[in-house]
PDB file of all heavy atoms in Angstrom:
ATOM      1  N   SER A  15     -15.764  15.856   3.951  1.00  0.00           N
ATOM      2  CA  SER A  15     -15.752  16.747   2.783  1.00  0.00           C
ATOM      3  C   SER A  15     -14.374  16.786   2.141  1.00  0.00           C
ATOM      4  O   SER A  15     -14.240  16.773   0.921  1.00  0.00           O
ATOM      5  CB  SER A  15     -16.178  18.156   3.195  1.00  0.00           C
ATOM      6  OG  SER A  15     -17.496  18.161   3.705  1.00  0.00           O
ATOM      7  N   ILE A  16     -13.332  16.803   2.986  1.00  0.00           N
ATOM      8  CA  ILE A  16     -11.961  16.799   2.470  1.00  0.00           C
ATOM      9  C   ILE A  16     -11.687  15.500   1.731  1.00  0.00           C
ATOM     10  O   ILE A  16     -11.112  15.492   0.636  1.00  0.00           O
ATOM     11  CB  ILE A  16     -10.960  16.978   3.620  1.00  0.00           C
ATOM     12  CG1 ILE A  16     -11.125  18.354   4.262  1.00  0.00           C
ATOM     13  CG2 ILE A  16      -9.525  16.804   3.120  1.00  0.00           C
ATOM     14  CD1 ILE A  16     -10.325  18.518   5.524  1.00  0.00           C
ATOM     15  N   LEU A  17     -12.107  14.382   2.326  1.00  0.00           N
ATOM     16  CA  LEU A  17     -11.903  13.080   1.696  1.00  0.00           C
ATOM     17  C   LEU A  17     -12.588  13.020   0.343  1.00  0.00           C
ATOM     18  O   LEU A  17     -12.008  12.577  -0.653  1.00  0.00           O
ATOM     19  CB  LEU A  17     -12.437  11.976   2.619  1.00  0.00           C
ATOM     20  CG  LEU A  17     -12.368  10.544   2.079  1.00  0.00           C
ATOM     21  CD1 LEU A  17     -10.935  10.177   1.719  1.00  0.00           C
ATOM     22  CD2 LEU A  17     -12.929   9.571   3.108  1.00  0.00           C
ATOM     23  N   GLN A  18     -13.843  13.489   0.280  1.00  0.00           N
ATOM     24  CA  GLN A  18     -14.578  13.484  -0.978  1.00  0.00           C
ATOM     25  C   GLN A  18     -13.892  14.378  -2.012  1.00  0.00           C
ATOM     26  O   GLN A  18     -13.764  13.996  -3.188  1.00  0.00           O
ATOM     27  CB  GLN A  18     -16.011  13.964  -0.746  1.00  0.00           C
ATOM     28  CG  GLN A  18     -16.871  13.934  -2.019  1.00  0.00           C
ATOM     29  CD  GLN A  18     -18.283  14.416  -1.747  1.00  0.00           C
ATOM     30  OE1 GLN A  18     -18.562  15.001  -0.693  1.00  0.00           O
ATOM     31  NE2 GLN A  18     -19.173  14.189  -2.678  1.00  0.00           N
ATOM     32  N   ALA A  19     -13.431  15.536  -1.583  1.00  0.00           N
ATOM     33  CA  ALA A  19     -12.759  16.453  -2.505  1.00  0.00           C
ATOM     34  C   ALA A  19     -11.472  15.844  -3.046  1.00  0.00           C
ATOM     35  O   ALA A  19     -11.148  15.994  -4.229  1.00  0.00           O
ATOM     36  CB  ALA A  19     -12.467  17.768  -1.805  1.00  0.00           C
ATOM     37  N   GLU A  20     -10.737  15.138  -2.200  1.00  0.00           N
ATOM     38  CA  GLU A  20      -9.486  14.526  -2.640  1.00  0.00           C
ATOM     39  C   GLU A  20      -9.743  13.393  -3.625  1.00  0.00           C
ATOM     40  O   GLU A  20      -8.992  13.192  -4.579  1.00  0.00           O
ATOM     41  CB  GLU A  20      -8.697  14.003  -1.437  1.00  0.00           C
ATOM     42  CG  GLU A  20      -8.053  15.090  -0.597  1.00  0.00           C
ATOM     43  CD  GLU A  20      -6.975  15.833  -1.345  1.00  0.00           C
ATOM     44  OE1 GLU A  20      -6.435  15.297  -2.323  1.00  0.00           O
ATOM     45  OE2 GLU A  20      -6.668  16.977  -0.956  1.00  0.00           O
ATOM     46  N   VAL A  21     -10.822  12.621  -3.392  1.00  0.00           N
ATOM     47  CA  VAL A  21     -11.173  11.551  -4.334  1.00  0.00           C
ATOM     48  C   VAL A  21     -11.499  12.134  -5.704  1.00  0.00           C
ATOM     49  O   VAL A  21     -11.026  11.652  -6.743  1.00  0.00           O
ATOM     50  CB  VAL A  21     -12.372  10.732  -3.808  1.00  0.00           C
ATOM     51  CG1 VAL A  21     -12.852   9.762  -4.879  1.00  0.00           C
ATOM     52  CG2 VAL A  21     -11.974   9.974  -2.552  1.00  0.00           C
ATOM     53  N   VAL A  22     -12.310  13.189  -5.726  1.00  0.00           N
ATOM     54  CA  VAL A  22     -12.692  13.825  -6.986  1.00  0.00           C
ATOM     55  C   VAL A  22     -11.474  14.405  -7.690  1.00  0.00           C
ATOM     56  O   VAL A  22     -11.281  14.226  -8.896  1.00  0.00           O
ATOM     57  CB  VAL A  22     -13.753  14.922  -6.741  1.00  0.00           C
ATOM     58  CG1 VAL A  22     -14.003  15.695  -8.032  1.00  0.00           C
ATOM     59  CG2 VAL A  22     -15.043  14.300  -6.228  1.00  0.00           C
ATOM     60  N   LYS A  23     -10.634  15.096  -6.930  1.00  0.00           N
ATOM     61  CA  LYS A  23      -9.444  15.718  -7.515  1.00  0.00           C
ATOM     62  C   LYS A  23      -8.503  14.666  -8.086  1.00  0.00           C
ATOM     63  O   LYS A  23      -7.979  14.817  -9.197  1.00  0.00           O
ATOM     64  CB  LYS A  23      -8.718  16.559  -6.463  1.00  0.00           C
ATOM     65  CG  LYS A  23      -7.453  17.238  -6.991  1.00  0.00           C
ATOM     66  CD  LYS A  23      -6.847  18.106  -5.919  1.00  0.00           C
ATOM     67  CE  LYS A  23      -5.536  18.712  -6.395  1.00  0.00           C
ATOM     68  NZ  LYS A  23      -5.702  19.553  -7.565  1.00  0.00           N
ATOM     69  N   SER A  24      -8.281  13.601  -7.316  1.00  0.00           N
ATOM     70  CA  SER A  24      -7.400  12.540  -7.793  1.00  0.00           C
ATOM     71  C   SER A  24      -7.957  11.884  -9.046  1.00  0.00           C
ATOM     72  O   SER A  24      -7.225  11.574  -9.979  1.00  0.00           O
ATOM     73  CB  SER A  24      -7.217  11.498  -6.688  1.00  0.00           C
ATOM     74  OG  SER A  24      -6.390  10.452  -7.117  1.00  0.00           O
ATOM     75  N   HIS A  25      -9.264  11.698  -9.071  1.00  0.00           N
ATOM     76  CA  HIS A  25      -9.903  11.097 -10.246  1.00  0.00           C
ATOM     77  C   HIS A  25      -9.708  11.982 -11.477  1.00  0.00           C
ATOM     78  O   HIS A  25      -9.387  11.500 -12.562  1.00  0.00           O
ATOM     79  CB  HIS A  25     -11.399  10.897  -9.978  1.00  0.00           C
ATOM     80  CG  HIS A  25     -12.132  10.228 -11.100  1.00  0.00           C
ATOM     81  ND1 HIS A  25     -12.151   8.865 -11.251  1.00  0.00           N
ATOM     82  CD2 HIS A  25     -12.840  10.739 -12.141  1.00  0.00           C
ATOM     83  CE1 HIS A  25     -12.859   8.555 -12.323  1.00  0.00           C
ATOM     84  NE2 HIS A  25     -13.284   9.672 -12.880  1.00  0.00           N
ATOM     85  N   GLN A  26      -9.863  13.272 -11.302  1.00  0.00           N
ATOM     86  CA  GLN A  26      -9.707  14.198 -12.425  1.00  0.00           C
ATOM     87  C   GLN A  26      -8.267  14.236 -12.928  1.00  0.00           C
ATOM     88  O   GLN A  26      -8.020  14.371 -14.126  1.00  0.00           O
ATOM     89  CB  GLN A  26     -10.158  15.598 -12.007  1.00  0.00           C
ATOM     90  CG  GLN A  26     -11.662  15.704 -11.770  1.00  0.00           C
ATOM     91  CD  GLN A  26     -12.057  17.044 -11.180  1.00  0.00           C
ATOM     92  OE1 GLN A  26     -11.217  17.777 -10.654  1.00  0.00           O
ATOM     93  NE2 GLN A  26     -13.337  17.369 -11.250  1.00  0.00           N
ATOM     94  N   HIS A  27      -7.318  14.099 -12.011  1.00  0.00           N
ATOM     95  CA  HIS A  27      -5.913  14.137 -12.398  1.00  0.00           C
ATOM     96  C   HIS A  27      -5.489  12.880 -13.155  1.00  0.00           C
ATOM     97  O   HIS A  27      -4.681  12.946 -14.089  1.00  0.00           O
ATOM     98  CB  HIS A  27      -5.019  14.277 -11.162  1.00  0.00           C
ATOM     99  CG  HIS A  27      -4.749  15.704 -10.794  1.00  0.00           C
ATOM    100  ND1 HIS A  27      -3.873  16.495 -11.496  1.00  0.00           N
ATOM    101  CD2 HIS A  27      -5.241  16.476  -9.801  1.00  0.00           C
ATOM    102  CE1 HIS A  27      -3.838  17.705 -10.951  1.00  0.00           C
ATOM    103  NE2 HIS A  27      -4.663  17.717  -9.919  1.00  0.00           N
ATOM    104  N   ASN A  28      -6.017  11.734 -12.737  1.00  0.00           N
ATOM    105  CA  ASN A  28      -5.472  10.477 -13.223  1.00  0.00           C
ATOM    106  C   ASN A  28      -6.302   9.774 -14.291  1.00  0.00           C
ATOM    107  O   ASN A  28      -5.828   8.828 -14.907  1.00  0.00           O
ATOM    108  CB  ASN A  28      -5.285   9.513 -12.037  1.00  0.00           C
ATOM    109  CG  ASN A  28      -4.294  10.051 -11.029  1.00  0.00           C
ATOM    110  OD1 ASN A  28      -3.273  10.603 -11.393  1.00  0.00           O
ATOM    111  ND2 ASN A  28      -4.613   9.907  -9.747  1.00  0.00           N
ATOM    112  N   PHE A  29      -7.534  10.212 -14.507  1.00  0.00           N
ATOM    113  CA  PHE A  29      -8.405   9.531 -15.459  1.00  0.00           C
ATOM    114  C   PHE A  29      -8.927  10.539 -16.482  1.00  0.00           C
ATOM    115  O   PHE A  29      -9.854  11.280 -16.213  1.00  0.00           O
ATOM    116  CB  PHE A  29      -9.591   8.871 -14.730  1.00  0.00           C
ATOM    117  CG  PHE A  29      -9.157   7.769 -13.806  1.00  0.00           C
ATOM    118  CD1 PHE A  29      -8.803   8.055 -12.492  1.00  0.00           C
ATOM    119  CD2 PHE A  29      -9.081   6.466 -14.242  1.00  0.00           C
ATOM    120  CE1 PHE A  29      -8.390   7.050 -11.638  1.00  0.00           C
ATOM    121  CE2 PHE A  29      -8.673   5.450 -13.391  1.00  0.00           C
ATOM    122  CZ  PHE A  29      -8.328   5.743 -12.092  1.00  0.00           C
ATOM    123  N   HIS A  30      -8.309  10.520 -17.660  1.00  0.00           N
ATOM    124  CA  HIS A  30      -8.663  11.508 -18.669  1.00  0.00           C
ATOM    125  C   HIS A  30      -9.230  10.893 -19.951  1.00  0.00           C
ATOM    126  O   HIS A  30      -9.773  11.604 -20.777  1.00  0.00           O
ATOM    127  CB  HIS A  30      -7.432  12.348 -19.037  1.00  0.00           C
ATOM    128  CG  HIS A  30      -6.900  13.155 -17.900  1.00  0.00           C
ATOM    129  ND1 HIS A  30      -7.607  14.192 -17.322  1.00  0.00           N
ATOM    130  CD2 HIS A  30      -5.746  13.069 -17.209  1.00  0.00           C
ATOM    131  CE1 HIS A  30      -6.897  14.718 -16.337  1.00  0.00           C
ATOM    132  NE2 HIS A  30      -5.769  14.046 -16.252  1.00  0.00           N
TER     133      HIS A  30
END
Side-chain angles (χ1 to χ4, degrees):
S15 298
I16 295 171
L17 177 57
Q18 182 180 14
E20 287 294 338
V21 172
V22 173
K23 180 177 176 61
S24 179
H25 183 83
Q26 291 172 343
H27 270 285
N28 298 319
F29 295 88
H30 297 294

